[in-house]
Amino acid sequence: MDEDTDTRKINSSFLRDHNYATEADIISTVEFNHRGSCWLSPETRGVRVVVFQREQESKNQPQRRGEYNVYSTFQSHEPEFDYLKSLEIEEKINKIRWLPQQNAAYFLLSTNDKTVKLWKISERDKRPEGYNLKDDDGRIRDPTTITALRVPVVRPMDLMVEAVPRRIFSNAHTYHINSISVNSDYETYMSTDDLRINLWNLEITNRSFNIVDIKPANMEELTEVITAAEFHPHHCNTFVYSSSKGSIRLCDMRASALCDNHSKFFEEPEDPSNRSFFSEIISSISDVKFSHSGRYLMTRDYLTVKVWDLNMESKPLETYLVHDYLRSKLCSLYENDCIFDKFECVWNGSDSVIMTGSYNNFFRMFDRNTKRDVTLEASRENSKPRAVLKPRKVCVGGKRRKDEISVDSLDFSKKILHTAWHPYENIIAVAATNNLYIFQDKVN
């Protein structure tokens, strides 16, 4: 993360005009698949799943190294209406999770507020012809006109990418689903709403098992909600979930069928001198991620990213200030509802660098080994294909340098909530409102 390597080079970008962005254009989640070699999927609130395929490297065109091009686009969910509760269920997608590739097809889970779907994405370059009961255009033939038996033949056709829903998991959540996580056994997954976590088998759609339930008998006694949950990357019996009170609970499904009692409890005691009206709001955890090794946990609250050692519950191992300069702006951020924004965080493939988003289209990277950090900006004005990004700095007060930006001039409508990191290479995806940027390490 020194001066020569902390910049990122634009590899490709998926851009729309920010000035004409609609609610349906806003990207709501971004996810690389397990191999990371050719797949990336942002999901827009208009329920269009856009799958990008990474081009193979070409000796004849080295400048086109690893570019991502649109591979498939399909609509994931339809708007629904809950007649019992008179509640409209939006088609907006909350999360996407890829399943490991087992054959030529690709599978992913997508969820809106109530329903999870398992999608199969596959290619087809052949088609059968010569049906007996159908015409070539698909219409049913009159049986009285059939006088001979035809043997169907398979003929080549233009390559077509199909996206088909293989499973639909519904009617299991009373409250809005905020996260899904695939287990390391690749047979089960869990879906999480504000008060409950359900465990599903990927082959069974009409039954799930409730493994966490924090709903009190009297809803007036409700003090916290579940904000995110994730399975351990290697131990299929272990998972964690975070709460709006800033705590993380590690649960073991071997202990009991209903994980009401956690195995470990991670929470940092609050400094009484820093107590304020906004303390509880900014301490709410918006994202929790296991490291690839499974040894560490990373959590993101409004102002910080914290790294926890699973063997030390008393305090975080590392704390990184994402945008501490906003502490003086909490009142105005509360008035414009920005204080409730839910930022995500990601690890790089070796767990040595972490990344998360901020405002003004800034995103932050922290090197855990050198303790250095960098602020970069993803915007159409400053980012052209093959351009090198320059580190940005925010001036809190006093005299502002030429290359610095004042905290008072930050644009809070431009925010980076969703990011993703390639599992093996230094390639990142950053969703800035309705634009998707893909950056990679500078290539000499």
Side-chain angles (χ1 to χ4, degrees):
M1 299 285 291
D2 54 25
E3 286 298 322
D4 294 331
T5 60
D6 65 4
T7 54
R8 291 289 180 267
K9 188 172 185 179
I10 292 186
N11 184 287
S12 182
S13 57
F14 180 62
L15 304 176
R16 293 198 184 103
D17 193 337
H18 175 79
N19 297 324
Y20 296 96
T22 64
E23 186 74 12
D25 288 327
I26 297 175
I27 298 174
S28 61
T29 182
V30 182
E31 184 82 7
F32 281 99
N33 78 332
H34 289 71
R35 293 184 177 181
S37 57
C38 59
W39 297 96
L40 171 78
S41 180
E43 173 69 74
T44 65
R45 289 187 182 178
V47 296
R48 293 189 308 275
V49 179
V50 185
V51 181
F52 289 85
Q53 184 181 35
R54 190 181 182 190
E55 296 293 326
Q56 299 296 323
E57 296 185 18
S58 173
K59 294 181 179 179
N60 299 328
Q61 294 180 305
Q63 72 275 9
R64 293 182 61 85
R65 177 182 181 271
E67 287 193 354
Y68 284 86
N69 293 317
V70 176
Y71 178 73
S72 176
T73 303
F74 61 94
Q75 181 158 333
S76 178
H77 284 67
E78 301 284 347
E80 303 174 43
F81 191 81
D82 188 334
Y83 292 97
L84 292 177
K85 298 180 180 179
S86 296
L87 181 67
E88 185 176 353
I89 303 172
E90 296 183 20
E91 63 271 37
K92 176 181 74 72
I93 300 304
N94 297 329
K95 292 290 180 181
I96 278 180
R97 289 292 180 265
W98 287 94
L99 274 67
Q101 186 180 357
Q102 305 293 339
N103 48 40
Y106 297 85
F107 291 87
L108 65 85
L109 288 169
S110 66
T111 181
N112 65 354
D113 288 338
K114 299 290 183 181
T115 304
V116 183
K117 291 185 178 183
L118 174 65
W119 289 87
K120 177 184 178 182
I121 304 173
S122 57
E123 296 181 354
R124 188 151 63 94
D125 59 358
K126 295 181 176 63
R127 64 181 179 188
E129 290 184 0
Y131 291 102
N132 286 283
L133 301 179
K134 295 180 181 179
D135 290 330
D136 291 337
D137 56 5
R139 290 180 297 182
I140 301 297
R141 297 175 62 188
D142 184 357
T144 59
T145 63
I146 302 176
T147 58
L149 181 66
R150 293 195 294 179
V151 178
V153 295
V154 178
R155 299 193 185 282
M157 58 175 286
D158 293 337
L159 181 65
M160 183 175 66
V161 180
E162 290 182 316
V164 181
R166 297 300 301 270
R167 307 274 191 277
I168 298 178
F169 309 87
S170 58
N171 302 323
H173 285 276
T174 304
Y175 306 96
H176 291 178
I177 300 173
N178 55 46
S179 61
I180 50 177
S181 178
V182 181
N183 203 347
S184 59
D185 61 9
Y186 304 133
E187 294 181 359
T188 57
Y189 77 93
M190 65 180 176
S191 56
T192 307
D193 65 27
D194 294 337
L195 299 179
R196 296 188 178 98
I197 300 177
N198 292 333
L199 180 68
W200 300 82
N201 188 298
L202 286 166
E203 300 295 327
I204 303 173
T205 61
N206 60 354
R207 184 171 68 252
S208 64
F209 299 93
N210 181 224
I211 55 177
V212 172
D213 188 349
I214 66 168
K215 182 181 179 181
N218 183 2
M219 284 295 284
E220 294 182 358
E221 300 174 359
L222 182 66
T223 58
E224 63 180 336
V225 296
I226 302 171
T227 56
E230 184 172 79
F231 271 116
H232 191 281
H234 309 303
H235 305 313
C236 61
N237 55 283
T238 306
F239 68 93
V240 295
Y241 68 91
S242 58
S243 83
S244 57
K245 276 193 168 182
S247 60
I248 310 105
R249 292 171 174 85
L250 180 74
C251 299
D252 190 339
M253 291 190 292
R254 296 174 300 184
S256 63
L258 186 62
C259 301
D260 283 341
N261 297 319
H262 48 267
S263 302
K264 293 187 177 183
F265 182 80
F266 303 87
E267 186 177 43
E268 184 176 24
E270 184 184 5
D271 185 356
S273 61
N274 291 332
R275 179 73 183 173
S276 70
F277 171 79
F278 306 106
S279 295
E280 189 170 329
I281 301 175
I282 63 175
S283 65
S284 176
I285 295 175
S286 57
D287 195 17
V288 59
K289 293 279 175 62
F290 273 105
S291 63
H292 294 86
S293 66
R295 171 70 185 274
Y296 303 103
L297 273 174
M298 175 170 54
T299 61
R300 171 69 204 264
D301 57 41
Y302 190 67
L303 295 178
T304 65
V305 171
K306 296 174 182 176
V307 176
W308 301 78
D309 190 322
L310 289 186
N311 298 323
M312 186 172 69
E313 304 172 54
S314 58
K315 62 179 181 179
L317 190 66
E318 304 158 15
T319 300
Y320 301 96
L321 303 178
V322 179
H323 40 214
D324 200 54
Y325 47 78
L326 295 181
R327 196 174 290 274
S328 61
K329 300 284 185 182
L330 293 179
C331 187
S332 58
L333 290 167
Y334 178 80
E335 292 175 352
N336 62 16
D337 286 343
C338 284
I339 201 171
F340 302 105
D341 286 335
K342 300 183 185 303
F343 292 93
E344 296 176 2
C345 53
V346 291
W347 301 86
N348 73 335
S350 61
D351 298 332
S352 61
V353 183
I354 57 181
M355 175 176 63
T356 189
S358 181
Y359 293 104
N360 206 69
N361 281 351
F362 289 166
F363 59 99
R364 303 268 282 144
M365 289 185 177
F366 303 92
D367 192 310
R368 299 180 59 212
N369 297 325
T370 64
K371 303 303 179 185
R372 301 190 64 176
D373 62 88
V374 64
T375 302
L376 301 171
E377 183 180 4
S379 66
R380 301 183 69 171
E381 293 78 14
N382 301 327
S383 304
K384 296 180 181 180
R386 306 294 165 186
V388 176
L389 293 185
K390 295 181 179 180
R392 303 300 303 269
K393 293 184 180 180
V394 178
C395 174
V396 178
K399 191 173 181 180
R400 183 171 63 89
R401 296 181 181 178
K402 181 180 179 181
D403 57 343
E404 292 181 339
I405 180 171
S406 172
V407 66
D408 296 321
S409 60
L410 295 176
D411 188 347
F412 295 108
S413 66
K414 296 181 179 180
K415 60 193 78 172
I416 292 178
L417 303 178
H418 314 288
T419 57
W421 203 307
H422 192 287
Y424 307 117
E425 301 181 39
N426 276 333
I427 298 177
I428 61 173
V430 176
T433 315
N434 61 318
N435 292 328
L436 176 70
Y437 296 88
I438 304 172
F439 303 98
Q440 71 177 29
D441 261 345
K442 183 178 179 181
V443 181
N444 294 324

